[in-house]
């Protein structure tokens, strides 16, 4: 009788139904007639206290079926599975583990599913294993935490149940959780490749030898910020606790995109403001002074410490710098713009209230700092160029009134103030007062700030009124308001306080103190440009042009839309007798810049100057700029003055050349003689005089109009 080749039986090895025609299982490939393989399990290890094997001499075993292996085997002769070469290298007599004693050993099958291969890392409370998941046929990571405390195990198990439900592209997924004796085991996805620590440390000594640039480090950290925002938004929030270079990897997705992935959630905990986790979470050198009961701001502390190490501060692991940074005049801080250290200082402030309060605050400043450090390198041979310290040895003509000699109000730059807190009782009034201040309507701003003070506007109202008094040349009143604001001690207005103090010091002639306050503004908001712009403007107006140019160019690199930085740099170059540089920096401004019209006005003046000094072609550039401003609808007094000066400059060039310069005249005018040019000059000056009642009419008529007439006649 014929054999029924279609009969199905249960495989004694994998317990799946299979055909019998070949004599081998269709699913696992093992011989159906052979004895079922019994894998080595945690229960066996716990029962005997040893790792059973065929010879009892420490031989290698297959992590999938437990069969004895010869050294360096590539496939298991019993189950046919492909083996990891590292797991089948010739074994030592015993495996020595430096961490806490554990029943888990290489070759063990735990939870009837995970074959342990090798230890990836270990610490005081447990280990990290690489294992093979027999159900999903892929590698996983098992993080173990060893504790005899039943209450702690239950608490950690509760946390694990929450972690299993976390899904975010920047967070390694926790896919399983179980216990072996007193060891808690978190099973997580395996992310191949080096960690951040592997990238910067020597593979043998684990010393920091290859720091990243600040730009690289910031980009990496920025890629992880969505993960921290996600964790904080959960209910209850999850505090990661152990952010450090060893716990992050860069993973390349199938579409080629690289994402940063947080690993090892073994120390994460569900935040409870009343109940601290046990034991304290984190790694010395990274965790904050508040590690006994961390909140989300302590995660930000670990981010700052990680940034410091990534760029080369190996001292994070020393007792001396356990919670602080190395001096700013040492490597790695000397390699980068000051904003980078300010940013790290902000993240690692000792008091939580002085750190960022949320992820959005971090991202706002991080983007600005990225611009400031762009292109800067950890190579000590290429240190960031730094200008000599500013010297305020004497006041310039620009700082005193020509009639009274009294100090004038500060600020040739417009500074937008931060948004008023919605919880302020006088918020509506303060918003209107800010608008008046920014529009330089100081009389109305003073009226409104008086109302805000009387309506419980608090420190914010006093600081804003102090700024108004500064601009009105009333330093005593400004100082009085600042004292009132200081007594109220509002941490939300530190930046405004530094601004008001800086302006008061500048008005009083204390320029070093003013510069220190503007740097304080830079430290409070590291990625912002306003404090640096005030500092650069202070440098320029009082003779420190090299220092000013350095600060202006830093702003231009980080914030190319800040037109005032281009204008300030141009003025500093001009004060240093570098006319061509003054023009070039303005010509780089994009037409989309909101200050483009102001830039063109500055350029017209510079083109006129260059034309007089021997480059008549600059008149053509000035004429084009005038045409663009007319198309843009600009009709200010400054514009009409510059247009008139353009025609007067053309006359002076014609006088030198002895002929009319070749220019495409504004408004499509066709000028064919010097007499026509003189008439256009007179018309332009009269247009200006009709719009500026404060102009020196007699001097303009005598020098600009009548002088041009006489010369044209001659």
């Amino acid at each position: 009788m014929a054999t029924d080749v279609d009969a199905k039986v249960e495989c004694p090895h994998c317990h799946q139904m299979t055909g019998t025609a070949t004599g081998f299982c269709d699913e696992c490939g093992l011989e159906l007639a052979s004895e079922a393989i019994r894998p080595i399990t945690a229960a066996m290890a716990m029962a005997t206290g040893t790792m059973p094997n065929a010879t009892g001499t420490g031989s290698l075993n297959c992590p999938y079926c437990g069969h004895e292996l010869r050294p360096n085997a590539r496939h298991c002769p019993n189950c046919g599975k492909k083996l990891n070469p590292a797991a089948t290298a010739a074994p030592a007599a015993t495996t020595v583990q430096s961490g806490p004693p554990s029943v888990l050993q290489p070759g063990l099958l735990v939870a009837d599913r995970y074959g342990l291969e090798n230890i990836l890392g270990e610490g005081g409370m447990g280990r990290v294993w690489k294992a093979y998941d027999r159900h999903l046929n892929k590698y996983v990571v098992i993080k173990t935490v060893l504790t005899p405390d039943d209450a702690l195990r239950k608490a950690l198990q509760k946390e694990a149940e929450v972690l299993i439900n976390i899904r975010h592209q920047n967070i390694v997924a926790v896919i399983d959780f179980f216990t072996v004796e007193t060891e808690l085991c978190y099973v997580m996805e395996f992310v191949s490749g080096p960690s951040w620590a592997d990238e910067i440390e020597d593979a043998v000594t684990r010393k920091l030898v290859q720091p990243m640039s600040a730009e690289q480090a910031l980009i990496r950290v920025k890629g992880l910020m969505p993960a921290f925002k996600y964790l904080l938004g959960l209910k209850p929030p999850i505090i990661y606790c152990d952010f450090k270079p060893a716990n992050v990897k860069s993973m390349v997705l199938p579409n080629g995109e690289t994402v940063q992935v947080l690993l090892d959630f073994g120390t994460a905990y569900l935040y409870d403001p009343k109940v601290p986790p046990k034991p304290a979470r984190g790694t010395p050198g990274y965790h904050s002074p508040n590690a006994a009961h961390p909140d989300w701001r302590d995660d930000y502390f670990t981010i700052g410490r990680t940034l410091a190490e990534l760029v080369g501060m190996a001292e994070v692991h020393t007792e001396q710098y356990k919670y602080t940074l190395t001096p700013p005049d040492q490597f790695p801080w000397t390699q980068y713009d000051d904003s980078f250290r300010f940013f790290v200082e902000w993240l690692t402030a000792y008091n939580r209230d002085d750190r960022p309060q949320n992820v959005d605050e971090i991202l706002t400043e991080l983007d600005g700092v990225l611009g400031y450090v762009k292109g800067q390198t950890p190579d000590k041979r290429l240190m960031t160029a730094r200008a000599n310290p500013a010297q305020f040895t004497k006041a310039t003509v620009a700082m005193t009134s020509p009639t009274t000699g009294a100090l004038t109000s500060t600020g040739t730059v417009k500074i937008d103030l931060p948004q008023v807190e919605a919880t302020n009782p006088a918020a509506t009034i303060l918003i209107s007062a800010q608008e008046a201040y920014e529009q330089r309507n100081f009389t109305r701003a003073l009226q409104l700030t008086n109302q805000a003070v009387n309506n419980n506007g608090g420190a914010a109202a006093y600081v804003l009124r102090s700024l108004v008094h500064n601009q009105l040349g009333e330093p005593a009143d400004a100082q009085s308001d600042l004292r009132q604001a200081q007594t109220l001690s509002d941490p939300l207005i530190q930046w405004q306080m530094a601004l008001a103090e800086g302006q008061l010091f500048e008005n009083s002639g204390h320029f070093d103190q003013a510069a220190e306050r503007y740097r304080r503004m830079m430290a409070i908001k590291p990625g912002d440009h306003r404090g640096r712009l005030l500092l650069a403007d202070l440098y320029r107006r009082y003779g420190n042009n090299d220092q000013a140019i350095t600060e202006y160019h830093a702003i231009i690199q980080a914030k190319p839309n800040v037109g005032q930085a281009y204008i300030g740099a141009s003025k500093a170059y001009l004060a240093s007798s570098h006319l061509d540089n003054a023009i070039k920096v303005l010509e780089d401004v994009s037409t989309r810049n909101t200050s483009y019209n102001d830039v063109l006005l500055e350029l017209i003046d510079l083109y006129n100057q260059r034309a007089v000094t021997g480059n008549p072609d600059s008149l053509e550039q000035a004429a084009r700029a005038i045409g663009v401003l007319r198309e843009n609808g600009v009709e200010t007094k400054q514009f009409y003055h510059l247009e008139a000066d353009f025609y007067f400059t053309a006359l002076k060039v014609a006088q030198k050349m002895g002929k009319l310069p070749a220019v495409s005249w504004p408004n499509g005018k066709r000028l064919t003689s010097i007499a026509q040019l003189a008439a256009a000059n007179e018309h332009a000056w009269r247009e200006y005089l009709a719009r500026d009642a404060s102009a020196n009419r007699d001097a303009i008529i005598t020098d600009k109009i009548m002088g041009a007439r006489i010369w044209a006649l001659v």
Side-chain angles (χ1 to χ4, degrees):
M1 186 173 61
T3 304
D4 184 2
V5 297
D6 295 327
K8 296 276 188 178
V9 299
E10 181 180 329
C11 173
H13 307 288
C14 68
H15 304 292
Q16 301 295 315
M17 299 304 293
T18 177
T20 59
T22 63
F24 294 91
C25 176
D26 297 334
E27 299 296 327
C28 67
L30 297 184
E31 188 174 4
L32 295 174
S34 62
E35 183 180 351
I37 299 166
R38 185 185 179 193
I40 304 166
T41 65
M44 294 169 60
M46 286 185 274
T48 63
T50 61
M51 281 296 298
N53 55 65
T55 64
T57 59
S59 61
L60 295 168
N61 298 90
C62 174
Y64 312 111
C65 69
H67 189 79
E68 182 181 354
L69 302 174
R70 62 176 177 79
N72 302 313
R74 295 187 178 184
H75 295 82
C76 175
N78 185 51
C79 68
K81 293 280 189 180
K82 186 176 181 180
L83 301 170
N84 183 346
T88 59
T94 58
T95 301
V96 179
Q97 298 177 348
S98 60
S102 169
V103 69
L104 302 183
Q105 301 290 332
L108 186 69
L109 184 73
V110 292
D112 293 325
R113 175 173 178 178
Y114 307 105
L116 300 181
E117 289 200 359
N118 57 287
I119 296 174
L120 299 175
E122 52 191 327
M125 290 186 62
R127 297 181 178 85
V128 179
W129 290 87
K130 182 179 180 182
Y132 193 84
D133 185 345
R134 296 177 64 188
H135 289 186
L136 299 179
N137 291 324
K138 67 177 185 178
Y139 282 108
V140 295
V141 168
I142 299 179
K143 167 69 181 269
T144 69
V145 179
L146 186 67
T147 174
D149 186 334
D150 289 338
L152 175 58
R153 273 202 308 277
K154 290 179 180 178
L156 291 174
Q157 183 166 356
K158 181 180 178 182
E159 291 177 3
E161 291 168 356
V162 175
L163 293 175
I164 286 176
N165 294 317
I166 291 178
R167 290 295 179 268
H168 191 278
Q169 73 165 1
N170 299 114
I171 297 174
V172 66
V174 177
I175 57 179
D176 198 1
F177 177 82
F178 55 88
T179 59
V180 177
E181 275 197 339
T182 59
E183 281 188 83
L184 298 96
C185 301
Y186 297 80
V187 184
M188 295 170 278
E189 290 179 320
F190 177 76
V191 180
S192 62
S195 68
W196 290 1
D198 295 330
E199 293 184 51
I200 64 174
E201 295 175 353
D202 181 88
V204 178
T205 65
R206 305 312 297 180
K207 290 184 177 180
L208 201 164
V209 294
Q210 189 65 43
M212 299 180 185
S213 70
E215 183 180 6
Q216 290 173 308
L218 287 169
I219 290 173
R220 297 280 186 95
V221 166
K222 181 179 179 180
L224 276 174
M225 295 317 298
F228 285 98
K229 188 171 184 176
Y230 169 79
L231 293 174
L232 181 58
L234 297 174
K235 296 186 184 303
I238 291 179
I239 311 303
Y240 183 67
C241 296
D242 202 21
F243 185 71
K244 57 185 178 182
N247 280 349
V248 195
K249 286 187 177 183
S250 299
M251 182 172 69
V252 180
L253 301 179
N255 64 1
E257 179 187 358
T258 299
V259 297
Q260 310 305 320
V261 181
L262 277 177
L263 312 172
D264 190 355
F265 268 69
T267 56
Y269 90 104
L270 306 181
Y271 177 64
D272 185 330
K274 297 180 181 179
V275 181
K278 294 181 180 181
R281 309 295 176 89
T283 301
Y286 303 100
H287 70 61
S288 82
N290 314 101
H293 192 180
D295 71 10
W296 61 96
R297 294 166 296 183
D298 299 300
D299 274 347
Y300 304 158
F301 188 97
T302 63
I303 291 172
R305 298 292 290 178
T306 296
L307 274 173
E309 185 177 27
L310 289 176
V311 301
M313 187 185 138
E315 294 84 351
V316 295
H317 302 291
T318 64
E319 187 65 28
Q320 180 180 1
Y321 297 108
K322 186 175 182 180
Y323 299 125
T324 59
L325 304 177
T326 49
D329 60 353
Q330 295 182 10
F331 179 88
W333 316 112
T334 51
Q335 304 301 114
Y336 302 109
D337 182 85
D338 289 339
S339 61
F340 179 67
R341 181 183 172 90
F342 290 151
F343 184 67
V344 178
E345 286 177 337
W346 181 46
L347 290 168
T348 58
Y350 193 86
N351 296 316
R352 285 171 172 164
D353 289 341
D354 294 330
R355 300 176 204 153
Q357 300 302 300
N358 56 63
V359 168
D360 290 337
E361 283 186 28
I362 295 176
L363 289 173
T364 296
E365 302 306 324
L366 190 152
D367 284 334
V369 176
L370 259 176
Y372 287 126
V373 301
K374 185 177 181 180
Q376 295 173 359
T377 169
D379 188 342
K380 295 181 181 180
R381 297 168 299 175
L382 301 172
M383 291 180 63
T384 300
R386 296 179 183 271
N388 294 325
Q391 300 293 327
F392 299 103
T393 56
K394 61 181 180 179
T396 65
V397 175
M399 67 169 283
T400 57
S401 167
T403 55
T404 65
L407 290 170
T408 60
S409 62
T410 59
T412 58
V413 293
K414 179 182 176 182
I415 297 298
D416 294 329
L417 300 177
Q419 187 175 353
V420 176
E421 291 292 326
T423 55
N424 190 303
T428 303
I429 302 172
L430 283 171
I431 292 171
S432 298
Q434 277 195 2
E435 291 175 353
Y437 174 83
E438 291 168 358
Q439 294 166 2
R440 307 188 75 81
N441 186 349
F442 300 124
T443 301
R444 174 166 171 73
L446 183 59
Q447 293 172 346
L448 290 167
T449 50
N450 287 337
Q451 292 179 32
V453 168
N454 294 331
N455 283 272
N456 300 317
Y462 282 109
V463 170
L464 183 53
R465 191 167 71 175
S466 175
L467 288 168
V468 176
H469 283 310
N470 265 316
Q471 295 296 335
L472 292 173
E474 300 165 350
D477 292 331
Q479 190 168 26
S480 175
D481 279 339
L482 275 179
R483 289 197 189 101
Q484 288 289 339
Q486 288 165 351
T487 61
L488 296 173
S489 185
D490 185 350
L492 297 177
I493 61 163
Q494 292 183 59
W495 188 89
Q496 294 94 313
M497 284 284 292
L499 169 62
E501 290 171 355
Q503 300 246 304
L504 180 60
F505 279 127
E506 189 175 344
N507 268 345
S508 305
H510 298 95
F511 305 124
D512 287 310
Q513 292 94 323
E516 188 276 328
R517 291 306 189 277
Y518 295 151
R519 284 183 61 80
R520 173 66 179 148
M521 293 172 65
M522 293 166 59
I524 295 171
K525 293 182 177 291
D528 196 79
H529 71 278
R530 291 168 291 183
R532 193 184 290 253
L533 189 59
L534 284 166
L535 181 65
D537 208 52
L538 175 71
Y539 286 159
R540 176 183 60 77
R541 286 186 286 116
Y542 301 131
N544 294 283
N545 291 306
D546 289 343
Q547 294 85 350
I549 289 169
T550 298
E551 301 299 343
Y552 284 131
H553 275 291
I555 299 171
I556 289 169
Q557 174 174 287
K559 309 275 187 176
N561 61 323
V562 181
Q564 294 174 92
Y566 296 89
I567 294 172
S570 177
K571 290 180 177 178
Y573 277 124
L574 193 61
S576 302
S577 302
H578 297 299
L579 178 59
D580 287 342
N581 286 343
I583 291 174
K584 184 179 185 306
V585 71
L586 293 180
E587 289 178 335
D588 289 338
V589 178
S590 167
T591 57
R592 295 188 296 273
N593 194 295
T594 56
S595 299
Y596 186 62
N597 287 343
D598 295 331
V599 168
L600 287 180
L601 291 170
E602 296 289 336
L603 274 173
I604 293 169
D605 184 36
L606 295 176
Y607 288 145
N608 287 342
Q609 292 183 49
R610 190 162 68 177
V612 171
T613 58
N615 189 341
D617 293 340
S618 293
L619 285 173
E620 178 66 29
Q621 294 169 296
R624 291 175 184 171
I626 290 170
V628 172
L629 289 172
R630 283 200 174 277
E631 290 176 2
N632 292 345
V634 177
E635 294 187 353
T636 62
K637 291 183 290 186
Q638 182 187 8
F639 169 71
Y640 281 103
H641 184 278
L642 287 169
E643 184 179 30
D645 196 50
F646 160 76
Y647 284 109
F648 189 73
T649 300
L651 275 170
K652 288 192 285 186
V653 171
Q655 185 177 11
K656 286 184 178 181
M657 296 173 59
K659 62 179 181 179
L660 198 68
V663 177
S664 302
W665 304 101
N667 295 332
K669 292 180 180 178
R670 297 188 60 185
L671 305 180
T672 58
S673 67
I674 292 177
Q676 289 178 336
L677 178 57
N681 172 71
E682 180 174 345
H683 175 76
W685 282 112
R686 293 193 182 280
E687 286 283 314
Y688 165 64
L689 290 173
R691 288 167 173 80
D692 190 356
S694 63
N696 190 335
R697 299 179 65 83
D698 292 341
I700 290 174
I701 291 172
T702 301
D703 299 334
K704 306 292 186 180
I705 296 177
M706 299 309 297
R709 276 188 191 177
I710 294 170
W711 184 81
L713 289 172
V714 172

